[in-house]
Amino acid sequence: MTQSHPRISKAVIPAAGLGTRFLPATKATPKEMLPVVDKPAIQYVVEEAVAAGLDDVLMVTGRNKRPLEDHFDRNYELESALQKKGDAERLGKVRESSDLAMIHYVRQGDPKGLGHAVLCAAPHVGDEPFAVLLGDDLIDPRDPLLQRMIEVQEQYGGSVIALMEVAPEQIHLYGCAAVDTTEDSDVVKVSGLVEKPDPADAPSHYAVIGRYVLAPQVFDVLRRTEPGRGGEIQLTDALQQLASDEKVGGPVHGVVFKGRRYDTGDRGDYLRAIVRLACEREDLGPDFRTWLRSYVAEEM
């Protein structure tokens, strides 16, 4: 039976990471601003939140992240120059990012992990469920994962995490969930979570990917959570407590995602994401695919 739960209206995007895997490119440029074709990665994430009905966005940032704020702000000088040239197409693209959503910012300060970054959002979120979107995972807009997660949270309450089945040898790269089936083929109930387990100890092949819909009780749990792996406050540890005791903040469910996901947190996957998205673009795809086929044929 469907239950009534508070409507989700806010999204939190942690964006305080140093981007060390992309050095030296990220020495002075936030990793979230690295272009994926012709838009920074962070804009895809904000667009996903807005498409799911969440136009109140809080970015948790750190030092050297000012370009994020500049990107989502108006640039009157550039807009004026484009307007004088009569370049309506590029003017629309420039204004698009500043008109997407109501975006707020808070600094994390000390880099104490994802759990701490989420905790920084507590004053803004208040006592209502909210979404968390990690910028390294780009979800194809044709596969509305976040919208499905919101529907599941509205049905069951508690928290909802995104899961994807991965090969056993890859599970050590992710948080891993122990699950039980439900009446819905794409929804599981989470009974436990472990961060980056050894493949021999993994409870399943279901990896946690970077989308969460969280009950506000997670803040109280995070305040009590001791630093874990890497000396950081892990969101996975807090979710484990919620999953093991529903009285704390309701159940934890998982939506099993089988759609298109682009991982921009790894250099190789970042390049593959650009190629895939460029190939699918109507304005770039035909010529780019022709060149790519020719290039691959010559190299092989």
Side-chain angles (χ1 to χ4, degrees):
M1 181 177 178
T2 301
Q3 304 176 39
S4 177
H5 299 282
R7 174 66 186 173
I8 298 168
S9 63
K10 296 177 181 177
V12 175
I13 302 177
L18 298 176
T20 54
R21 288 181 290 179
F22 279 85
L23 287 171
T26 51
K27 179 181 178 181
T29 302
K31 68 172 183 174
E32 296 84 5
M33 289 301 297
L34 294 179
V36 180
V37 187
D38 54 4
K39 286 191 297 190
I42 192 70
Q43 184 170 333
Y44 289 87
V45 180
V46 174
E47 288 173 349
E48 180 187 351
V50 172
L54 312 181
D55 57 2
D56 185 332
V57 177
L58 175 71
M59 290 191 190
V60 183
T61 67
R63 295 184 61 219
N64 302 323
K65 299 287 184 171
R66 183 60 185 270
L68 294 175
E69 297 184 37
D70 291 340
H71 179 71
F72 291 101
D73 198 0
R74 297 290 298 272
N75 186 326
Y76 292 102
E77 294 83 359
L78 177 58
E79 291 178 26
S80 177
L82 292 171
Q83 205 160 20
K84 289 178 181 178
K85 290 181 179 180
D87 195 338
E89 181 180 356
R90 288 188 174 87
L91 178 61
K93 290 180 178 180
V94 167
R95 286 178 172 171
E96 183 180 7
S97 60
S98 57
D99 295 336
L100 270 175
M102 179 65 70
I103 301 180
H104 313 268
Y105 304 88
V106 62
R107 283 200 174 191
Q108 184 177 5
D110 296 328
K112 296 180 181 178
L114 176 57
H116 181 259
V118 171
L119 187 55
C120 291
H124 180 80
V125 169
D127 190 25
E128 62 181 82
F130 63 104
V132 175
L133 299 86
L134 304 189
D136 288 346
D137 284 330
L138 302 189
I139 304 299
D140 195 293
R142 294 167 294 184
D143 302 311
L145 169 61
L146 185 58
Q147 181 60 53
R148 177 58 176 151
M149 294 174 68
I150 292 172
E151 292 170 357
V152 171
Q153 198 281 335
E154 290 175 344
Q155 179 179 357
Y156 293 103
S159 299
V160 180
I161 62 178
L163 301 173
M164 177 175 279
E165 194 165 6
V166 301
E169 61 271 16
Q170 292 183 317
I171 197 66
H172 72 283
L173 300 172
Y174 299 88
C176 179
V179 302
D180 299 308
T181 59
T182 70
E183 295 178 356
D184 297 307
S185 61
D186 65 333
V187 179
V188 294
K189 187 172 183 180
V190 177
S191 57
L193 289 155
V194 59
E195 182 69 17
K196 298 181 178 179
D198 185 278
D201 300 325
S204 74
H205 297 157
Y206 286 116
V208 181
I209 60 175
R211 296 294 180 271
Y212 309 82
V213 176
L214 302 176
Q217 289 84 353
V218 74
F219 294 130
D220 290 333
V221 178
L222 285 169
R223 291 185 184 102
R224 301 192 301 267
T225 300
E226 295 293 328
R229 189 183 184 96
E232 298 180 338
I233 298 175
Q234 299 289 347
L235 180 59
T236 303
D237 292 342
L239 288 169
Q240 162 62 26
Q241 293 187 47
L242 292 176
S244 62
D245 186 359
E246 292 187 16
K247 295 180 181 178
V248 175
V252 177
H253 286 84
V255 171
V256 180
F257 183 62
K258 297 182 179 179
R260 287 156 285 201
R261 166 180 172 259
Y262 310 106
D263 183 357
T264 61
D266 173 84
R267 288 173 298 174
D269 285 338
Y270 170 75
L271 294 173
R272 284 186 281 272
I274 292 174
V275 171
R276 290 173 188 152
L277 289 169
C279 284
E280 294 178 356
R281 287 268 295 262
E282 291 184 2
D283 57 337
L284 298 173
D287 289 342
F288 185 68
R289 289 193 299 270
T290 299
W291 173 84
L292 189 59
R293 280 191 291 264
S294 174
Y295 175 76
V296 172
E298 290 175 2
E299 290 298 308
M300 295 296 290

